[in-house]
Amino acid sequence: METSINLYQKLWAASDDLRSQMDANEYKNYLLGIIFYKYLSDKMLNEVREILEVEDENLDEIQKIYEEEMQGVDADLLAEELKNNYSFIIKPNHTFTHFIKEIEEGTFQLDDLGQAFNEIERSADDYKGLFEDIDLYSNKLGKLPQEKNKRISNVMKQFAKVNFANYTGDVLGDVYEYMLANFASESGKKAGEFYTPHQVSRLMAMIAMDGKEDKKGLTVYDPTLGSGSLLLNVRNFSNESELIRYFGQELNNSTYNLSRMNMILHDVKLEYQTLNQGDTLSDDWPVDEPTNFDAVLMNPPYSAKWEASKGFLDDPRFAEYGVLPPKSKADYAFLLHGFYHLKNPGIMAILLPHGVLFRSGAEEKIRKILLENGCIDAVIGLAPNLFYSTGIPVSLIILRKDKTDRSVYFIDASNEFAKKGNKNELTEENIQKIFKAYKSKEEIDKFAHLAKFEEIEENAFNLNIPRYVDTFEEEEPINLAEVSADIKAINDEKEELKKAILADMNNLVANTEKAKKELESFMQILGGDL
């Protein structure tokens, strides 16, 4: 089986040639796109192997059989079965394995790879524009056609021996996290905007799926979709994962394409994924059924700007609150959008900066209404430096529409992490500790507290976690008598040391006027006398 370690080694080597030509935010498109195509090709060859009952798992050998079969009398039957299973077909002369053979023979042409991309994009409406971020003819790959050809060939060769059909991990997730960890100085914050670390995604999905493990036809929604990792983590906690329906919207077109790739890589059938490219706050989506979902998971851009025009006061997402989140901080706009699309028995988990817990003005008014309506179920403060896009600690806010009381459970998980390189990371032990506390709603000294509505009201609806979870550790009282005795002992030791140095110096230097003057100067430095 292929491992992430092997993939990382190949990824590092494949990045070398591109790093000298463009920044990480650009060359990630080439790496992710080429790896995605390799995955599709390997999966199709693996399907060929199963259909034809070929025992050999070697891709080169399967390729030979595929080429022979597609020239035989049963070619149409094989092509039809492949298309039924995948909605598209990669021709024998367009497989990644075939391209590698051409590269080795010196006959590979970029136009053929571009044609292969186009054929997949034309195979179904859901695949349109899937590879549009991979500009095979960009001058950043080289000024001459042969330079572009060579640079892409070098990248492809690095992955030639990796069989993605047998890969044991989350391909795009592993690749992207590795890129962020190792090329962070190049990619900067922008590259990490749409990536939620796997461990944080896992915690959010675990909470959102609590009690829904056996629900058939579960619907999950992420209106700030990013790479799709939040949605895809949900399936790990479902006993009916094949029936989950995924809904998501993403503003950035490149990131939207990445999420589509991610769905395909996780074998999510087209009829179970409904993804859209658009502005979540300006254009409410979805507006066609279903519009409310069993689980909503979000990691929106923190404190982003938004339009906030008066017309939004009539928008059903915001109308109930009478005010709009400030233009300079869209945090509550994202929260209210997600909450509007949550089913009554559903659970919403959203990551936001700590400022949403205590900021005044319109945000305070919105927060007060949410609390009075009993919508906020829990506030979990996470550790700093967990994310690639920011080093600040963030809060995980859990909301429900079916609560029967107005209490809020606070968890201070700011110390729940393990150091990994220059980042912090939630461990499985950390995740289980937080989840167990959330499920129990029990009082845990210096970690968790269930605050009644009256207590929150007394705090003027300020949800800053230290107001509810006291993590202060009292210092041991200082014994002044012991401190005084220690100081006296140190001074006595200092005087004895001076006398010993003096005696040694008197024995070493000649009894001359010059030597005595040097000795006097030395003793003044020590703070003593001859």
Side-chain angles (χ1 to χ4, degrees):
M1 302 292 281
E2 300 294 343
T3 65
S4 57
I5 294 175
N6 186 34
L7 176 59
Y8 297 158
Q9 292 169 345
K10 303 295 184 185
L11 190 62
W12 180 268
S15 304
D16 271 343
D17 207 25
L18 296 176
R19 279 203 298 270
S20 62
Q21 305 297 315
M22 60 192 81
D23 63 37
N25 202 44
E26 292 176 296
Y27 69 67
K28 72 171 173 60
N29 292 332
Y30 291 95
L31 294 175
L32 293 170
I34 288 172
I35 287 173
F36 176 62
Y37 191 76
K38 175 76 161 75
Y39 174 89
L40 296 180
S41 176
D42 292 355
K43 288 282 283 186
M44 181 151 287
L45 285 180
N46 190 61
E47 186 70 14
V48 168
R49 184 181 71 83
E50 292 184 4
I51 291 172
L52 300 178
E53 298 180 348
V54 178
E55 292 186 6
D56 199 329
E57 294 187 4
N58 183 279
L59 291 175
D60 292 324
E61 293 303 314
I62 302 171
Q63 173 70 25
K64 290 178 184 177
I65 295 171
Y66 184 34
E67 290 174 359
E68 292 170 1
E69 289 293 323
M70 290 303 283
Q71 293 174 358
V73 293
D74 294 328
D76 290 342
L77 292 175
L78 178 58
E80 184 178 353
E81 189 158 359
L82 288 172
K83 194 159 187 178
N84 285 339
N85 292 344
Y86 285 97
S87 304
F88 62 86
I89 182 171
I90 298 176
K91 297 175 182 177
N93 65 327
H94 281 167
T95 66
F96 199 97
T97 304
H98 181 77
F99 286 145
I100 291 297
K101 182 182 177 183
E102 289 186 334
I103 289 170
E104 292 171 348
E105 295 172 348
T107 59
F108 172 73
Q109 296 296 320
L110 273 183
D111 286 341
D112 293 333
L113 181 60
Q115 180 62 27
F117 289 168
N118 290 335
E119 287 178 2
I120 290 179
E121 289 181 326
R122 291 199 300 265
S123 64
D125 287 342
D126 295 275
Y127 295 151
K128 284 181 180 178
L130 202 55
F131 294 95
E132 65 184 0
D133 296 311
I134 308 167
D135 186 357
L136 298 176
Y137 308 104
S138 169
N139 285 334
K140 290 189 176 182
L141 292 172
K143 292 183 178 180
L144 301 175
Q146 54 266 38
E147 291 176 329
K148 298 179 175 69
N149 202 321
K150 182 179 179 181
R151 190 152 275 125
I152 293 296
S153 296
N154 288 339
V155 173
M156 293 176 69
K157 282 193 294 186
Q158 292 298 331
F159 304 112
K161 301 301 181 183
V162 180
N163 187 342
F164 284 114
N166 296 328
Y167 188 73
T168 57
D170 173 3
V171 178
L172 285 188
D174 287 349
V175 168
Y176 199 72
E177 187 161 9
Y178 177 81
M179 288 178 64
L180 286 173
N182 291 277
F183 312 137
S185 61
E186 301 170 60
S187 56
K189 291 185 178 181
K190 185 178 180 182
E193 281 177 356
F194 58 86
Y195 187 78
T196 306
H198 173 73
Q199 296 80 7
V200 179
S201 295
R202 179 172 169 77
L203 173 62
M204 294 173 71
M206 194 181 292
I207 291 173
M209 286 297 291
D210 184 32
K212 297 182 175 63
E213 296 85 355
D214 296 317
K215 183 177 177 60
K216 293 183 179 180
L218 183 90
T219 57
V220 295
Y221 175 54
D222 184 352
T224 55
L225 183 59
S227 65
S229 64
L230 279 176
L231 290 184
L232 290 166
N233 256 288
V234 166
R235 68 195 331 205
N236 297 323
F237 304 97
S238 171
N239 297 323
E240 302 288 344
S241 59
E242 297 302 313
L243 299 177
I244 295 174
R245 295 186 62 193
Y246 303 89
F247 295 80
Q249 177 160 262
E250 171 57 39
L251 176 62
N252 183 283
N253 192 62
S254 296
T255 311
Y256 167 65
N257 287 334
L258 175 61
S259 66
R260 296 161 70 200
M261 290 180 184
N262 225 354
M263 288 286 167
I264 295 169
L265 286 174
H266 285 81
D267 296 321
V268 177
K269 295 177 182 178
L270 291 178
E271 58 266 33
Y272 287 99
Q273 51 173 294
T274 306
L275 308 182
N276 189 55
Q277 195 267 318
D279 188 327
T280 285
L281 297 183
S282 295
D283 302 307
D284 185 18
W285 182 91
V287 292
D288 298 322
E289 291 296 332
T291 59
N292 295 88
F293 308 95
D294 297 302
V296 176
L297 298 101
M298 299 177 66
N299 181 19
Y302 304 148
S303 299
K305 294 179 180 179
W306 76 299
E307 188 179 345
S309 60
K310 289 184 178 179
F312 282 111
L313 287 171
D314 297 323
D315 190 309
R317 296 174 294 172
F318 312 115
E320 178 183 350
Y321 304 91
V323 293
L324 295 173
K327 288 185 177 182
S328 60
K329 293 180 177 64
D331 301 316
Y332 271 103
F334 284 114
L335 184 149
L336 294 180
H337 171 92
F339 192 62
Y340 173 77
H341 286 284
L342 182 68
K343 279 185 179 178
N344 192 51
I347 297 178
M348 175 178 167
I350 182 171
L351 291 163
L352 289 172
H354 278 279
V356 301
L357 304 176
F358 54 80
R359 289 195 296 244
S360 58
E363 291 182 307
E364 181 182 359
K365 294 177 181 177
I366 294 170
R367 189 168 61 244
K368 179 182 177 183
I369 293 172
L370 287 169
L371 289 164
E372 288 175 338
N373 292 339
C375 302
I376 299 178
D377 186 37
V379 175
I380 304 170
L382 298 178
N385 215 28
L386 291 175
F387 296 79
Y388 291 100
S389 55
T390 179
I392 65 170
V394 299
S395 55
L396 173 56
I397 302 174
I398 312 301
L399 299 100
R400 308 182 69 125
K401 289 183 176 178
D402 62 345
K403 282 188 66 186
T404 57
D405 63 70
R406 297 187 291 178
S407 61
V408 177
Y409 191 59
F410 292 87
I411 299 176
D412 185 341
S414 57
N415 291 318
E416 297 299 315
F417 67 90
K419 197 75 177 172
K420 188 173 182 180
N422 61 353
K423 304 297 294 180
N424 294 332
E425 186 177 281
L426 284 176
T427 66
E428 185 61 25
E429 184 181 353
N430 299 145
I431 293 171
Q432 292 298 334
K433 180 180 178 180
I434 295 168
F435 181 65
K436 183 180 178 181
Y438 170 76
K439 287 244 328 170
S440 72
K441 298 292 197 296
E442 292 178 355
E443 190 80 18
I444 303 174
D445 186 43
K446 301 189 184 309
F447 185 69
H449 171 66
L450 182 64
K452 300 295 184 184
F453 179 77
E454 291 73 22
E455 183 181 355
I456 296 169
E457 190 175 29
E458 286 175 7
N459 277 293
F461 303 101
N462 185 318
L463 299 182
N464 201 18
I465 298 171
R467 286 177 176 249
Y468 304 93
V469 182
D470 182 11
T471 59
F472 178 73
E473 296 281 356
E474 287 190 12
E475 295 184 4
E476 291 185 11
I478 299 173
N479 189 319
L480 294 179
E482 288 182 3
V483 172
S484 179
D486 288 341
I487 292 173
K488 184 178 184 305
I490 291 170
N491 286 333
D492 291 345
E493 186 178 349
K494 179 181 174 184
E495 289 302 319
E496 291 298 322
L497 182 60
K498 285 179 183 178
K499 291 176 182 178
I501 293 174
L502 248 179
D504 288 342
M505 291 293 290
N506 276 320
N507 291 333
L508 288 173
V509 299
N511 189 17
T512 64
E513 196 64 32
K514 181 180 179 183
K516 283 192 174 185
K517 286 182 179 180
E518 289 177 353
L519 186 57
E520 286 175 357
S521 298
F522 181 70
M523 289 309 300
Q524 285 176 359
I525 294 172
L526 289 178
D529 299 310
L530 280 171

